[in-house]
Amino acid sequence: AFGWHNARAKVQQGAVTEVAYHMWWFHVVLRSEDAWESLIRVTINCELGLPCPLGDVLDAIDLVPSTRAGLAPEATLDTASRWVESEALRQAQPFLQRVDQRLDRDRNRLREYYRALGREVATPNRRTKVAPSEDDIAAQQRAIKLELQHKLAELDERYAFDAFLVPVALAEF
């Protein structure tokens, strides 16, 4: 990148132009074993098609319904929804980490339980008069392994996320 060190700039001619902005509000829901919800706002410069950090600018403006035809909201909806999607993932990080921790905890519990079952099957029982054959033990070990895989798949399904991103309001100014 090139930088102008110690440069001076002088505006030769200035002009006032009107630029429209779309401020979108989205209801965002991430649902898994638990749910996370938020209302996220983004402002899009309609001329450039880029998000702008205008903050609470609408709090300083008296809003009135407009009868004039504004810009098509579809022009900024795609940009706004992509920005809100990434912002929602950033804001939901603590929630996502908690869900991942619970999933890891449940996986470890299942693995430990089925390891204990495997050890129990492999250890001969002194109370029985006939010891199980090697084929019976191997079959029981395979059944335990398959059941563990099935339970882990159920956990993955139970902790899978559904995400909803719904535009709920639009203000043009």
Side-chain angles (χ1 to χ4, degrees), residues 25 43-44 68 81 87 90 97 111 130 139 153 160 167:
W25 284 266
T43 304
I44 306 293
R68 70 174 179 87
S81 60
E87 179 63 15
R90 187 190 67 72
Q97 289 172 348
R111 287 185 182 116
V130 179

Side-chain angles (χ1 to χ4, degrees), residues 62-80:
D62 291 330
L63 295 179
V64 293
S66 174
T67 56
R68 70 174 179 87
L71 297 170
E74 295 82 18
T76 58
L77 177 60
D78 188 46
T79 302

Side-chain angles (χ1 to χ4, degrees), residues 4-149:
W4 294 85
H5 300 288
N6 298 324
R8 292 183 190 178
K10 183 177 180 185
V11 176
Q12 295 293 324
Q13 185 178 7
V16 175
T17 58
E18 192 172 299
V19 176
Y21 289 88
H22 282 172
M23 187 173 280
W24 288 95
W25 284 266
F26 287 83
H27 180 227
V28 181
V29 179
L30 296 177
R31 203 171 276 137
S32 176
E33 182 71 8
D34 198 0
W36 178 84
E37 291 186 60
S38 184
L39 186 64
I40 299 177
R41 178 190 64 213
V42 61
T43 304
I44 306 293
N45 178 315
C46 293
E47 188 174 311
L48 300 174
L50 296 173
C52 301
L54 292 182
D56 296 328
V57 71
L58 286 185
D59 292 343
I61 300 173
D62 291 330
L63 295 179
V64 293
S66 174
T67 56
R68 70 174 179 87
L71 297 170
E74 295 82 18
T76 58
L77 177 60
D78 188 46
T79 302
S81 60
R82 278 185 305 206
W83 187 89
V84 167
E85 182 180 325
S86 64
E87 179 63 15
L89 288 175
R90 187 190 67 72
Q91 288 183 17
Q93 270 311 109
F95 169 75
L96 296 171
Q97 289 172 348
R98 281 193 311 274
V99 170
D100 284 344
Q101 288 171 348
R102 278 189 245 150
L103 176 60
D104 289 342
R105 178 201 63 203
D106 290 350
R107 282 180 179 157
N108 289 335
R109 285 179 179 170
L110 275 175
R111 287 185 182 116
E112 184 56 39
Y113 175 76
Y114 282 99
R115 260 191 243 117
L117 281 179
R119 285 190 303 268
E120 187 177 308
V121 166
T123 305
N125 189 347
R126 292 181 215 153
R127 295 181 197 163
T128 59
K129 295 180 182 179
V130 179
S133 69
E134 290 293 321
D135 290 339
D136 289 341
I137 293 173
Q140 287 178 336
Q141 293 283 10
R142 279 193 305 276
I144 289 170
K145 186 177 180 180
L146 288 173
E147 182 67 18
L148 172 61
Q149 290 172 350

